[in-house]
């Protein structure tokens, strides 16, 4: 009977761990502990319409607003998923910039506009809509076709290092939603997979998120991705 009881309790604890909410019996009451869980989204779209924007917080455990805001109908790449001690779900958009999951919808939606967030929140470019007009796409392709990266010296070396690790330097590499030489999210490339556009978007992505290719390389070496 004791063995059976222990087994049942072990199964119950394991089941709770899967959700990321570990329950601890403290003085006769159940208290959920904050935890990072397996990521369940690659891109989310802000859907909080009443204020047309949502706040960004510095962490999910003891959240304090950073002063940054994200506009409704903008889409963002997700780095981590977590639950706080109250069971509220959060998403990290990079560099510990957290938003409440209840204010966003998983995935990119065709209705999402290209509305920009405030300048303070521009640490990652919004995931682009894939339903822009043909004229806009043509203009984008024309601009991308003439793009030349200004990375040189150690920056060019770090950029090449990442490209080699991500795709072996191939512009045609593909891994699920990630495309090309720098394995960028397809939504970032907005349907234009040309070499020039991959270079342009990669440079913009790294500049906005890490500040430099050298910093991005250091992050890759520590985490296995960038």
């Amino acid at each position: 009977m004791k063995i059976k009881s222990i087994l049942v309790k072990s199964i119950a604890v394991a089941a709770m761990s899967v959700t990321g909410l570990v329950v601890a019996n403290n003085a006769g009451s159940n208290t959920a502990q904050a935890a990072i869980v397996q990521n369940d989204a690659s891109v989310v779209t802000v859907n909080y319409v009443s204020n047309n924007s949502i706040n960004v917080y510095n962490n999910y455990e003891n959240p304090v607003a950073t002063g940054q805001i994200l506009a409704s109908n903008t889409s963002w790449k997700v780095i981590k998923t977590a639950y706080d001690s109250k069971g509220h779900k959060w998403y990290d958009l990079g560099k510990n910039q957290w938003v409440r999951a209840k204010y966003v919808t998983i995935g990119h939606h065709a209705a999402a506009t290209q509305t920009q967030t405030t300048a303070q929140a521009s640490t990652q470019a919004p995931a682009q809509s894939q339903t822009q007009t043909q004229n806009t796409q043509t203009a984008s392709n024309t601009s991308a076709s003439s793009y030349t990266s200004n990375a040189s010296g150690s920056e060019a070396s770090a950029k090449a290092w990442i490209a080699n690790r991500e795709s072996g330097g191939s512009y045609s590499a593909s891994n699920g939603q990630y495309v090309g030489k720098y394995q960028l999210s397809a939504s970032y490339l907005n349907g234009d997979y040309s070499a020039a556009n991959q270079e342009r978007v990669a440079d913009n992505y790294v500049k906005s998120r890490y500040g430099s290719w050298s910093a991005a390389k250091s992050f890759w070496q520590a985490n296995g991705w960038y």
Side-chain angles (χ1 to χ4, degrees):
M1 291 299 292
K2 290 183 178 180
I3 294 176
K4 182 177 180 181
S5 176
I6 293 173
L7 178 61
V8 171
K9 290 180 180 179
S10 298
I11 293 174
V13 170
M16 290 302 294
S17 298
V18 171
T19 67
L21 296 177
V22 180
V23 176
N25 193 326
N26 184 7
S29 63
N30 289 333
T31 303
Q33 297 180 352
I36 292 177
V37 299
Q38 183 175 359
N39 208 5
D40 67 351
S42 58
V43 175
V44 293
T45 298
V46 179
N47 63 4
Y48 194 53
V49 179
S50 61
N51 288 334
N52 293 318
S53 65
I54 63 174
N55 289 320
V56 177
Y57 295 85
N58 61 344
N59 65 70
Y60 68 93
E61 295 176 283
N62 298 292
V64 175
T66 64
Q68 300 170 336
I69 60 172
L70 305 182
S72 289
N73 297 322
T74 54
S75 297
W76 301 85
K77 183 176 180 180
V78 174
I79 304 302
K80 297 176 184 175
T81 301
Y83 286 89
D84 62 25
S85 60
K86 296 180 180 179
H88 298 144
K89 189 176 183 180
W90 293 78
Y91 289 117
D92 178 12
L93 307 182
K95 293 187 175 181
N96 287 320
Q97 297 176 106
W98 295 86
V99 296
R100 281 283 298 274
K102 75 174 186 176
Y103 298 133
V104 300
T105 302
I106 293 177
H108 179 87
H109 298 275
T113 66
Q114 299 307 305
T115 304
Q116 293 294 322
T117 64
T118 61
Q120 292 177 317
S122 59
T123 57
Q124 110 173 220
Q128 297 290 313
S129 169
Q130 296 187 33
T131 58
Q132 290 183 322
T133 63
Q134 185 64 42
N135 287 340
T136 301
Q137 177 123 15
T138 300
S140 175
N141 290 345
T142 300
S143 174
S145 65
S146 60
Y147 178 81
T148 301
S149 176
N150 60 5
S152 61
S154 60
E155 283 295 283
S157 177
K159 184 177 181 179
W161 186 93
I162 288 179
N164 186 57
R165 295 303 187 282
E166 290 290 325
S167 68
S170 172
Y171 287 112
S172 60
S174 178
N175 181 16
Q177 67 166 316
Y178 300 105
V179 178
K181 186 175 182 178
Y182 303 98
Q183 289 295 281
L184 301 163
S185 173
S187 59
Y188 278 25
L189 295 168
N190 194 32
D192 179 2
Y193 302 145
S194 67
N197 193 48
Q198 289 186 39
E199 294 290 339
R200 179 182 64 82
V201 175
D203 279 344
N204 289 341
Y205 169 77
V206 165
K207 181 179 180 180
S208 65
R209 182 175 290 280
Y210 302 104
S212 70
W213 281 100
S214 294
K217 177 182 177 180
S218 295
F219 184 92
W220 200 107
Q221 290 173 319
N223 298 277
W225 57 275
Y226 77 113

